[in-house]
Amino acid sequence: MSGTFVGMPAFPEAAREAVGDRTLRANLRHATHTIRAKRAAAVAEVSDWAQLREAGKRIKDHTLRRLDHYLVQLEEAVTAAGGTVHWAADADEANRIVAALVKETGESDLVKVKSMATQEIGLNEALEAEGIRAYETDLAELIVQLGRDRPSHILVPAIHRNRGEIRDIFAREMSAWGRPAPEGLTDTPAELAEAARLHLREKFLRAKVGISGANFMVAETGTLVVVESEGNGRMCLTLPETLISVVGIEKIVPTWRDLEVFLQTLPRSSTAERMNPYTSTWTGTTDGDGPRTFHLVLLDNGRTDTLADEVGRQALRCIRCSACLNVCPVYERAGGHAYGSVYPGPIGAILSPQLRGTGSEIDASLPYASSLCGACYEVCPVAIDIPEVLVHLRERVVQGGPVTREGNKVVVKPAKGHAAERAAMRAARWAFGRPGALRAGQRLASRTRGLHPRTLPGPGRAWSASRDLPAVPAEPFRDWWQRTNGGTADGTSGEGAAK
Amino acid sequence: MSSRERILGRVRRALADVPRDDTPYGEAVARDYLREHGARDTAATVELLAENLTEYRALVHRCAEGELPAVLARLLAERRAATVLVPPGLDETWLARSDVARVADLAGSGAHELDRVDSVVTACAVAVAETGTIVLDGGPDQGRRRITLVPDHHICVVRVPEQVVSSVPQALERLDPLRPSTWISGPSATSDIELDRVEGVHGPRTLEVVLVG
C-alpha cells in the first residue's frame, strides 16, 4: 500500500471499497464500540463536564480571535526560555526548516513522537529524500511505518489492524529497521508490545535528535505540553541533545491555568481515562535536564485560511481527541483511509477541505462523508458544531463562493460533478414555493411508488450506489393530515397506509 | 517578507471581523467548573489517591515516616535490585536500611548506563487524588526526567497529606511552569493493539508509590 494520500479516490469510491473489507469492518467495529462505551463512563464521572466543555470552547475561541497577539507572546516566552522559534507558512517550508536543523546536528537518523502535524506535512518522506531516517516510536505508528501503511485514526493509527496482522508485520519487517522481532513471536498484545520495546529501546538510547508535536503551547510561559501513554514521548523529549517540535499555530492556550480544563477533558475524551499515563511539560531548555537545544516550528499550512472562514474557523478549536471518530457511523463502516487525509472521521471531513481547499475531488467529497447525525458534536469536548460546518462546506462545494487560499481572497467555482445536486436544489426551491405543484408531485410519487427504481439512473447513479433510496410513503403526509383531521378522526391507517 | 510577517499578516486579515474591543481574556471564559469533585476530608482524599493509583496498576504502600527506610529496603529486596538510582537531594535516611548499591545520575553518564540500573527511588512534587497522578518537577529529591524513565522499576514516595491535592486545577496551582514536569498516572501502558491495555512499553513497567505519613 502506498504511504501517501496523494491521488486518493473521492470518499464515496474509497468508502465503497472499505465497506467491502470484512476484516477491516470487524476490527473497526470492535475498536470503536469498545472505546465509545468506556468514554461515556469516564465522562459521566465528572459532574461538571458541561461547564468544562464550555470553558474549553471559550478558551480556544478567545485564543483564535486574538491569535496574532498570543503567537507573538508565545514566541517571546519560548525565546526567553532558551528556545528558538521558526515560522513555516506551508508544509514545504516546515520540512525544509526541520531538514536543515537536523543536518546542522550532523545526524542522519532521529526518533519521533507521534504527531499529527508532522504527518500532515509529510515530514518523514521529506526527510527521507534528504537522506534522514525518522523512526516512529509510538507503537501504533511503528506498526503503520513497518507495514508501509497509512494511519487510519488520530489516536490509534493502526486501529484497522488486528493482532494477527501486527504479528506478521513485526516478524517480517523489524529486521530491516533495526533489532529483529524475537523468534516464535506470538500475537498476544503483551508479547507484541515487548517486541516493540526491545526494537525501539536501542534507538532511544543512542538518538541525538528528537522530533515531536505538542498538544498545547502556553503563550504566557512558553511551555509546551505532550500527552501520551507509552513513555516513547518522554524518551524522545528528554534523551536527545536536540529537540525539534513542529506545532500548528492553533494549539495555543493563553495561560498555564487554562491547562486545568484540557488536562481534564482530553484524556477522558480520547482514551476514556481519568488521566493518560504520561504528560510532559517543558519550557525552553533546562540546565542539566533534557535537550540542550530546542527548536519550535510554528506551522500555518492552511490554518490562517481556515481562520478566515467565520463558520469554519471553529474547526481550529480541535484538540485531536478523536472522540468524534469513535461515535461516527460513517467512520465505523468506511474506516480512516477512505478520508484520504491524516485527519479522518468527522473532524477530518471539516478540517481537511479547509486546510487544503476543496479543489481536489477527494476534498470536495469530504463534506458529504457524513449522515449529519450529530453524534460528533455531542461528544466533542470543545463543542465544535461539526454538522454546521459540514453543511457550510457542502454549500461551498455546490455553489462556490469567496474563500481565502494562502492568505488571498479568491472566488471558487462550483465543484464539477455537482450539477445534478444544483439542479435538484433549484427544483426544490421552485416546488416549495408552489404548494400546488408540490402536492401534485407528491401524489404522483405515491401512486407510482411500485415503479420506483432502487438506484438512480444517469448522474444520480453514483449517489445511490452507496445509499438506499428512501421509500416513498403510500400516502403523502399532507393528504393523510387532511383525511384524518390531523390524526384525530377514525381510520388513521386508511386505504393507502404503509404496510 | 519573512514567513513570520506573512503568517501574522494572514492572521490579522483573517480576523477582520473581530472587533477591536472584543471580550478580554479575563471575561471571555466562565470558570464555573468545579475546583474539585465531591466533598472529602483529607483522609478520604488520600484514600482516593491510593484507590485511583491502584486502579491504574501502580502498587501502593502506606507507612508512617519512621517505617519508610524499612519499607524501601523491603521493596528493593523483593525486586532483587542490585543497583538503585538516587537523585542528588533525596533524604539520605530513606535508604539507610538498604544495602543496594546506589548509583548517582552523573551528567557524563549516558542513557545506556541508566538502562543497566535496576530501580530508582524519588520523591514527588504533588499528587492528584481524583486522577491517580503523581507529578515530578525536577526538584533535587526527584532528579532529572530521564532517571524515572529508563530504569524498569520506579518507587515514588509521596508525603501525605501535605503533597496530595484533590484535582488537576489544584495541582497546576502548585507547580511552576518554568520547571519541566512529568505527570505519571500508573506505569507505562499502551492500548494500540485492539485497544487491549498492556502495561509497560517504554517507561518503567513497575511503578510503586509509597504514601508516607
Side-chain angles (χ1 to χ4, degrees):
Chain A
M1 188 180 285
S2 160
T4 168
F5 288 109
V6 174
M8 273 293 293
F11 183 83
E13 266 172 78
R16 190 181 320 113
E17 196 179 310
V19 166
D21 182 339
R22 295 184 62 176
T23 307
L24 175 76
R25 285 188 65 173
N27 294 353
L28 277 175
R29 192 185 146 75
H30 168 71
T32 56
H33 281 250
T34 303
I35 201 163
R36 200 187 290 184
K38 278 166 67 180
R39 180 198 165 275
V43 165
E45 230 181 60
V46 276
S47 55
D48 57 341
W49 185 259
Q51 289 89 329
L52 284 167
R53 183 178 188 243
E54 183 64 21
K57 173 191 176 197
R58 296 220 181 165
I59 291 168
K60 281 286 195 173
D61 268 351
H62 166 81
T63 314
L64 291 169
R65 290 166 75 87
R66 295 203 62 197
L67 191 57
D68 50 339
H69 166 77
Y70 287 119
L71 280 166
V72 171
Q73 192 186 14
L74 174 78
E75 181 187 41
E76 281 168 10
V78 170
T79 308
T84 308
V85 176
H86 310 260
W87 300 70
D90 57 27
D92 284 346
E93 187 175 15
N95 289 333
R96 276 200 307 275
I97 292 169
V98 175
L101 290 172
V102 176
K103 282 182 178 173
E104 264 174 41
T105 67
E107 295 295 310
S108 59
D109 54 26
L110 53 86
V111 288
K112 265 195 73 208
V113 194
K114 172 178 158 10
S115 133
M116 299 306 297
T118 56
Q119 273 176 26
E120 175 191 320
I121 60 175
L123 180 66
N124 291 4
E125 294 76 10
L127 290 176
E128 202 173 333
E130 301 280 334
I132 299 163
R133 206 173 216 197
Y135 295 109
E136 292 292 349
T137 64
D138 170 76
L139 177 53
E141 288 290 356
L142 176 73
I143 295 165
V144 168
Q145 186 173 50
L146 292 177
R148 294 186 201 87
D149 197 354
R150 284 178 281 113
S152 68
H153 189 280
I154 288 173
L155 181 76
V156 206
I159 200 169
H160 58 291
R161 297 289 199 184
N162 62 30
R163 60 188 72 191
E165 295 174 287
I166 295 166
R167 191 215 79 91
D168 294 346
I169 291 168
F170 279 10
R172 197 176 61 231
E173 303 290 343
M174 268 185 174
S175 58
W177 289 79
R179 182 174 177 147
E183 286 290 318
L185 179 67
T186 74
D187 67 357
T188 62
E191 259 192 59
L192 295 171
E194 175 70 13
R197 178 186 178 96
L198 295 170
H199 178 81
L200 286 171
R201 186 152 281 231
E202 60 170 35
K203 294 188 169 59
F204 288 132
L205 297 187
R206 63 154 203 261
K208 298 277 187 285
V209 181
I211 291 187
S212 82
N215 294 88
F216 305 100
M217 305 187 283
V218 180
E220 174 187 51
T221 59
T223 307
L224 270 74
V225 183
V226 162
V227 169
E228 51 130 1
S229 293
E230 294 169 11
N232 65 304
R234 295 178 63 194
M235 292 271 184
C236 298
L237 298 171
T238 57
L239 295 183
E241 288 166 10
T242 301
L243 172 62
I244 305 167
S245 300
V246 181
V247 189
I249 54 173
E250 81 285 14
K251 294 262 173 153
I252 298 186
V253 297
T255 70
W256 175 252
R257 182 189 174 184
D258 293 321
L259 296 173
E260 71 189 17
V261 173
F262 302 107
L263 290 182
Q264 294 191 76
T265 53
L266 177 56
R268 286 179 203 267
S269 283
S270 61
T271 53
E273 292 168 302
R274 292 187 191 109
M275 187 62 93
N276 47 289
Y278 296 129
T279 297
S280 297
T281 77
W282 72 99
T283 306
T285 54
T286 304
D287 280 343
D289 186 356
R292 283 186 295 228
T293 309
F294 170 58
H295 295 278
L296 171 61
V297 181
L298 293 172
L299 178 71
D300 179 346
N301 203 37
R303 286 160 177 76
T304 50
D305 292 342
T306 308
L307 190 67
D309 186 315
E310 290 172 34
V311 177
R313 72 167 59 134
Q314 58 183 304
L316 298 176
R317 291 207 294 260
C318 176
I319 56 173
R320 312 283 189 259
C321 73
S322 72
C324 63
L325 277 63
N326 301 325
V327 297
C328 178
V330 176
Y331 175 86
E332 183 189 324
R333 287 162 182 82
H337 290 152
Y339 294 79
S341 148
V342 297
Y343 303 108
I347 186 64
I350 62 169
L351 200 52
S352 305
Q354 295 200 88
L355 292 177
R356 306 192 296 207
T358 50
S360 74
E361 203 191 345
I362 178 80
D363 287 317
S365 72
L366 285 178
Y368 294 89
S370 167
S371 62
L372 297 180
C373 75
C376 48
Y377 171 61
E378 292 298 315
V379 299
C380 179
V382 286
I384 301 171
D385 192 340
I386 295 176
E388 181 191 21
V389 183
L390 284 168
V391 171
H392 171 72
L393 293 174
R394 285 181 188 189
E395 196 174 280
R396 173 179 308 162
V397 168
V398 174
Q399 314 276 11
V403 296
T404 304
R405 295 310 309 157
E406 295 177 11
N408 301 312
K409 287 214 165 79
V410 295
V411 175
V412 291
K413 288 183 196 150
K416 285 178 195 159
H418 287 272
E421 265 168 285
R422 272 194 299 283
M425 292 305 284
R426 272 198 303 274
R429 262 200 303 276
W430 182 86
F432 284 121
R434 291 165 184 76
L438 181 65
R439 192 176 308 122
Q442 286 173 338
R443 285 192 182 138
L444 180 67
S446 288
R447 289 186 191 135
T448 59
R449 67 191 188 119
L451 306 171
H452 293 177
R454 287 294 179 87
T455 54
L456 294 174
R461 187 188 300 280
W463 190 90
S464 57
S466 52
R467 293 170 175 87
D468 292 325
L469 285 179
V472 174
E475 181 181 25
F477 174 76
R478 295 154 169 249
D479 289 3
W480 170 86
W481 183 269
Q482 220 162 30
R483 181 169 59 76
T484 63
N485 198 14
T488 55
D490 285 344
T492 50
S493 57
E495 183 200 346
K499 292 179 179 100
Chain B
M1 203 194 319
S2 71
S3 289
R4 179 183 190 275
E5 296 316 311
R6 183 173 300 133
I7 293 169
L8 287 172
R10 286 178 185 179
V11 170
R12 286 172 189 138
R13 283 197 301 281
L15 296 175
D17 64 301
V18 177
R20 282 177 168 271
D21 59 346
D22 200 37
T23 319
Y25 172 77
E27 296 158 33
V29 185
R31 307 271 175 184
D32 57 351
Y33 49 84
L34 302 172
R35 302 306 296 169
E36 59 183 311
H37 296 87
R40 284 176 304 270
D41 61 13
T42 309
T45 302
V46 173
E47 188 51 43
L48 182 64
L49 173 68
E51 263 173 45
N52 284 335
L53 280 164
T54 305
E55 199 177 316
Y56 279 142
R57 319 276 167 89
L59 307 172
V60 179
H61 314 276
R62 302 190 64 162
C63 69
E65 185 147 9
E67 298 163 344
L68 182 61
V71 169
L72 291 178
R74 175 172 61 81
L75 296 180
L76 289 169
E78 280 171 5
R79 288 277 300 192
R80 294 197 179 83
T83 49
V84 57
L85 224 142
V86 184
L90 196 79
D91 187 333
E92 293 205 351
T93 63
W94 286 7
L95 286 173
R97 298 280 298 275
S98 173
D99 51 8
V100 176
R102 288 176 218 177
V103 184
D105 178 32
L106 301 173
S109 60
H112 282 99
E113 278 115 74
L114 281 179
D115 196 27
R116 285 192 285 271
V117 176
D118 295 319
S119 302
V120 57
V121 177
T122 70
C124 77
V126 64
V128 190
E130 284 180 12
T131 57
T133 305
I134 53 174
V135 186
L136 311 186
D137 71 352
D141 54 3
Q142 298 149 56
R144 280 183 261 203
R145 284 172 280 174
R146 63 184 197 173
I147 68 168
T148 53
L149 172 62
V150 181
D152 205 19
H153 178 219
H154 177 198
I155 303 174
C156 182
V157 177
V158 182
R159 294 188 189 85
V160 299
E162 60 267 33
Q163 287 193 308
V164 184
V165 296
S166 276
S167 66
V168 169
Q170 293 169 351
L172 283 161
E173 274 168 10
R174 286 206 189 186
L175 294 165
D176 175 358
L178 299 183
R179 302 172 74 121
S181 74
T182 305
W183 300 51
I184 300 171
S185 310
S188 160
T190 183
S191 300
D192 280 349
I193 302 164
E194 298 184 21
L195 296 177
D196 267 4
R197 189 176 166 101
V198 179
E199 265 81 36
V201 195
H202 306 303
R205 283 179 283 197
T206 308
L207 171 67
E208 304 204 58
V209 179
V210 186
L211 306 177
V212 184

